């Protein structure tokens, strides 16, 4: 799926989220899932992990809602890194 011509994004974080993905306004056609983090510090392998928000009892429940949003035309993008969780790319082979 390509990014929409006129994207209206929403940053959906996983530490205090109180709204299920499927309840987000559909006017937001790009949803950024915050935040995957490196599995090691400093990041040297590019491996990341994503912690499921507590709103969801299982990974399958979250995946189901992601599928519903995608079926409605909303794009879901997993963000990586952030404050205190930097991902370092030292060469093209580690990208």
């Amino acid at each position: 799926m390509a990014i929409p011509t006129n994207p209206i994004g929403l940053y959906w974080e996983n530490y205090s989220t109180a709204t299920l993905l499927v309840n987000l306004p559909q006017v937001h056609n790009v949803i950024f899932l915050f935040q995957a983090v490196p599995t090691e510090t400093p990041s040297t392998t590019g491996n990341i992990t994503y912690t499921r928000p507590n709103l969801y009892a299982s990974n399958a429940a979250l995946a189901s809602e992601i599928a519903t949003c995608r079926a409605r035309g909303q794009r879901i993008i997993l963000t990586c890194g952030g404050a205190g969780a930097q991902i370092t790319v030292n060469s093209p082979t580690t990208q």
Side-chain angles (χ1 to χ4, degrees):
M1 289 180 128
I3 297 296
T5 302
N6 297 306
I8 300 174
L10 175 72
Y11 208 57
W12 191 74
E13 34 73 21
N14 68 351
Y15 49 84
S16 66
T17 299
T19 303
L20 297 172
L21 278 174
V22 295
N23 293 336
L24 296 173
Q26 291 185 42
V27 68
H28 298 107
N29 53 16
V30 180
I31 300 170
F32 298 94
L33 300 183
F34 178 84
Q35 108 198 38
V37 296
T39 57
E40 75 283 332
T41 303
S43 170
T44 56
T45 64
N47 294 328
I48 59 172
T49 186
Y50 178 73
T51 301
R52 177 186 74 243
N54 292 334
L55 289 171
Y56 297 96
S58 67
N59 290 340
L62 176 59
S64 175
E65 290 211 0
I66 289 172
T68 297
C69 291
R70 293 184 74 200
R72 298 190 301 209
Q74 293 170 297
R75 301 338 188 251
I76 307 292
I77 299 173
L78 179 62
T79 67
C80 302
Q86 295 82 13
I87 297 175
T88 303
V89 178
N90 293 318
S91 70
T93 58
T94 61
Q95 292 184 14

